Short mmCIF file of all heavy atoms in Angstrom, two decimals:
data_model
loop_
_atom_site.label_atom_id
_atom_site.label_comp_id
_atom_site.label_asym_id
_atom_site.label_seq_id
_atom_site.Cartn_x
_atom_site.Cartn_y
_atom_site.Cartn_z
N PHE J 72 9.46 13.42 -6.78
CA PHE J 72 9.69 12.06 -6.23
C PHE J 72 9.92 11.12 -7.35
O PHE J 72 10.88 10.31 -7.30
CB PHE J 72 8.52 11.71 -5.39
CG PHE J 72 8.55 10.25 -4.91
CD1 PHE J 72 9.50 9.85 -4.01
CD2 PHE J 72 7.68 9.34 -5.42
CE1 PHE J 72 9.58 8.49 -3.60
CE2 PHE J 72 7.69 8.03 -4.99
CZ PHE J 72 8.66 7.59 -4.13
N ALA J 73 9.11 11.17 -8.40
CA ALA J 73 9.29 10.25 -9.51
C ALA J 73 10.60 10.48 -10.22
O ALA J 73 11.35 9.48 -10.43
CB ALA J 73 8.09 10.40 -10.52
N ASP J 74 10.95 11.71 -10.52
CA ASP J 74 12.17 12.00 -11.21
C ASP J 74 13.43 11.73 -10.37
O ASP J 74 14.38 11.10 -10.84
CB ASP J 74 12.21 13.45 -11.69
CG ASP J 74 11.23 13.73 -12.79
OD1 ASP J 74 10.76 12.80 -13.46
OD2 ASP J 74 10.86 14.90 -12.96
N ASP J 75 13.44 12.21 -9.17
CA ASP J 75 14.64 12.12 -8.33
C ASP J 75 14.87 10.73 -7.71
O ASP J 75 15.99 10.26 -7.64
CB ASP J 75 14.61 13.14 -7.15
CG ASP J 75 14.59 14.59 -7.66
OD1 ASP J 75 14.80 14.81 -8.86
OD2 ASP J 75 14.36 15.51 -6.81
N TYR J 76 13.77 10.08 -7.29
CA TYR J 76 13.91 8.81 -6.58
C TYR J 76 13.58 7.61 -7.51
O TYR J 76 14.43 6.77 -7.66
CB TYR J 76 13.04 8.81 -5.35
CG TYR J 76 13.67 9.57 -4.24
CD1 TYR J 76 13.48 10.98 -4.14
CD2 TYR J 76 14.49 9.01 -3.32
CE1 TYR J 76 14.07 11.71 -3.16
CE2 TYR J 76 15.11 9.74 -2.29
CZ TYR J 76 14.88 11.12 -2.24
OH TYR J 76 15.48 11.84 -1.26
N LEU J 77 12.34 7.55 -7.97
CA LEU J 77 11.94 6.36 -8.73
C LEU J 77 12.82 6.19 -9.97
O LEU J 77 13.36 5.09 -10.20
CB LEU J 77 10.46 6.43 -9.11
CG LEU J 77 9.47 6.49 -7.99
CD1 LEU J 77 8.05 6.67 -8.52
CD2 LEU J 77 9.58 5.27 -7.12
N ILE J 78 12.92 7.22 -10.78
CA ILE J 78 13.68 7.13 -12.02
C ILE J 78 15.18 7.40 -11.76
O ILE J 78 16.03 6.58 -12.17
CB ILE J 78 13.14 8.08 -13.05
CG1 ILE J 78 11.69 7.73 -13.45
CG2 ILE J 78 14.02 8.09 -14.29
CD1 ILE J 78 10.94 8.82 -14.20
N GLY J 79 15.47 8.47 -11.07
CA GLY J 79 16.92 8.86 -10.84
C GLY J 79 17.72 7.92 -9.99
O GLY J 79 18.77 7.39 -10.40
N LYS J 80 17.21 7.59 -8.81
CA LYS J 80 18.02 6.82 -7.88
C LYS J 80 17.82 5.32 -8.01
O LYS J 80 18.73 4.55 -7.94
CB LYS J 80 17.80 7.26 -6.43
CG LYS J 80 18.33 8.64 -6.15
CD LYS J 80 18.21 9.01 -4.74
CE LYS J 80 18.87 10.46 -4.62
NZ LYS J 80 18.69 11.00 -3.33
N VAL J 81 16.51 4.95 -8.25
CA VAL J 81 16.22 3.49 -8.30
C VAL J 81 16.35 2.98 -9.71
O VAL J 81 16.68 1.82 -9.92
CB VAL J 81 14.75 3.26 -7.81
CG1 VAL J 81 14.34 1.83 -7.95
CG2 VAL J 81 14.61 3.69 -6.34
N GLY J 82 16.18 3.85 -10.69
CA GLY J 82 16.25 3.42 -12.10
C GLY J 82 15.00 2.68 -12.52
O GLY J 82 15.04 1.89 -13.43
N ALA J 83 13.91 2.97 -11.88
CA ALA J 83 12.64 2.27 -12.23
C ALA J 83 12.15 2.65 -13.62
O ALA J 83 12.26 3.84 -14.03
CB ALA J 83 11.59 2.59 -11.15
N GLU J 84 11.66 1.65 -14.32
CA GLU J 84 11.03 1.88 -15.59
C GLU J 84 9.52 1.59 -15.45
O GLU J 84 8.75 2.13 -16.20
CB GLU J 84 11.61 0.97 -16.67
CG GLU J 84 13.04 1.33 -16.95
CD GLU J 84 13.68 0.33 -17.91
OE1 GLU J 84 12.99 -0.55 -18.45
OE2 GLU J 84 14.86 0.47 -18.14
N THR J 85 9.14 0.72 -14.47
CA THR J 85 7.78 0.36 -14.22
C THR J 85 7.52 0.51 -12.75
O THR J 85 8.32 0.13 -11.94
CB THR J 85 7.51 -1.10 -14.66
OG1 THR J 85 7.76 -1.20 -16.04
CG2 THR J 85 6.07 -1.45 -14.40
N LEU J 86 6.33 1.07 -12.41
CA LEU J 86 5.95 1.25 -11.03
C LEU J 86 4.61 0.53 -10.86
O LEU J 86 3.68 0.69 -11.63
CB LEU J 86 5.76 2.75 -10.68
CG LEU J 86 5.15 3.03 -9.34
CD1 LEU J 86 6.10 2.73 -8.24
CD2 LEU J 86 4.70 4.47 -9.31
N VAL J 87 4.50 -0.29 -9.80
CA VAL J 87 3.25 -0.94 -9.45
C VAL J 87 2.76 -0.32 -8.17
O VAL J 87 3.53 -0.28 -7.21
CB VAL J 87 3.42 -2.50 -9.25
CG1 VAL J 87 2.13 -3.12 -8.84
CG2 VAL J 87 4.03 -3.07 -10.52
N ALA J 88 1.53 0.24 -8.19
CA ALA J 88 1.05 0.98 -7.01
C ALA J 88 -0.44 0.73 -6.92
O ALA J 88 -1.13 0.44 -7.88
CB ALA J 88 1.31 2.49 -7.18
N GLY J 89 -0.96 0.92 -5.72
CA GLY J 89 -2.36 0.75 -5.46
C GLY J 89 -3.18 1.83 -6.22
O GLY J 89 -2.71 2.95 -6.45
N TYR J 90 -4.41 1.49 -6.49
CA TYR J 90 -5.27 2.35 -7.31
C TYR J 90 -5.53 3.72 -6.66
O TYR J 90 -5.75 4.69 -7.33
CB TYR J 90 -6.69 1.69 -7.51
CG TYR J 90 -7.46 1.56 -6.24
CD1 TYR J 90 -8.46 2.50 -5.94
CD2 TYR J 90 -7.20 0.57 -5.28
CE1 TYR J 90 -9.20 2.41 -4.78
CE2 TYR J 90 -7.92 0.49 -4.14
CZ TYR J 90 -8.96 1.41 -3.87
OH TYR J 90 -9.67 1.33 -2.70
N ASN J 91 -5.36 3.83 -5.33
CA ASN J 91 -5.61 5.12 -4.68
C ASN J 91 -4.37 5.73 -4.07
O ASN J 91 -4.45 6.61 -3.31
CB ASN J 91 -6.67 4.94 -3.60
CG ASN J 91 -6.30 3.95 -2.49
OD1 ASN J 91 -5.29 3.31 -2.57
ND2 ASN J 91 -7.08 3.90 -1.48
N HIS J 92 -3.25 5.21 -4.51
CA HIS J 92 -1.94 5.76 -3.99
C HIS J 92 -1.69 7.13 -4.58
O HIS J 92 -1.96 7.44 -5.70
CB HIS J 92 -0.79 4.80 -4.35
CG HIS J 92 0.45 5.13 -3.58
ND1 HIS J 92 0.61 4.78 -2.25
CD2 HIS J 92 1.55 5.78 -3.90
CE1 HIS J 92 1.78 5.21 -1.84
NE2 HIS J 92 2.40 5.81 -2.85
N ARG J 93 -1.08 7.96 -3.76
CA ARG J 93 -0.79 9.34 -4.10
C ARG J 93 0.71 9.60 -3.87
O ARG J 93 1.29 8.96 -3.00
CB ARG J 93 -1.60 10.38 -3.33
CG ARG J 93 -3.10 10.23 -3.45
CD ARG J 93 -3.52 10.80 -4.82
NE ARG J 93 -5.00 10.85 -4.92
CZ ARG J 93 -5.69 10.04 -5.70
NH1 ARG J 93 -5.09 9.13 -6.35
NH2 ARG J 93 -6.98 10.19 -5.77
N PHE J 94 1.29 10.50 -4.63
CA PHE J 94 2.73 10.75 -4.62
C PHE J 94 3.00 12.23 -4.34
O PHE J 94 2.39 13.11 -4.95
CB PHE J 94 3.37 10.36 -5.92
CG PHE J 94 3.14 8.96 -6.31
CD1 PHE J 94 2.04 8.59 -7.05
CD2 PHE J 94 4.03 7.95 -5.91
CE1 PHE J 94 1.81 7.28 -7.42
CE2 PHE J 94 3.80 6.65 -6.32
CZ PHE J 94 2.70 6.31 -7.04
N GLY J 95 3.89 12.48 -3.36
CA GLY J 95 4.35 13.88 -3.11
C GLY J 95 3.44 14.73 -2.36
O GLY J 95 2.22 14.29 -2.11
#
Side-chain angles (χ1 to χ4, degrees):
F72 172 68
D74 290 341
D75 296 351
Y76 284 85
L77 297 177
I78 298 167
K80 292 184 179 174
V81 176
E84 296 175 4
T85 301
L86 171 72
V87 179
Y90 70 99
N91 61 351
H92 193 78
R93 301 284 188 252
F94 304 88

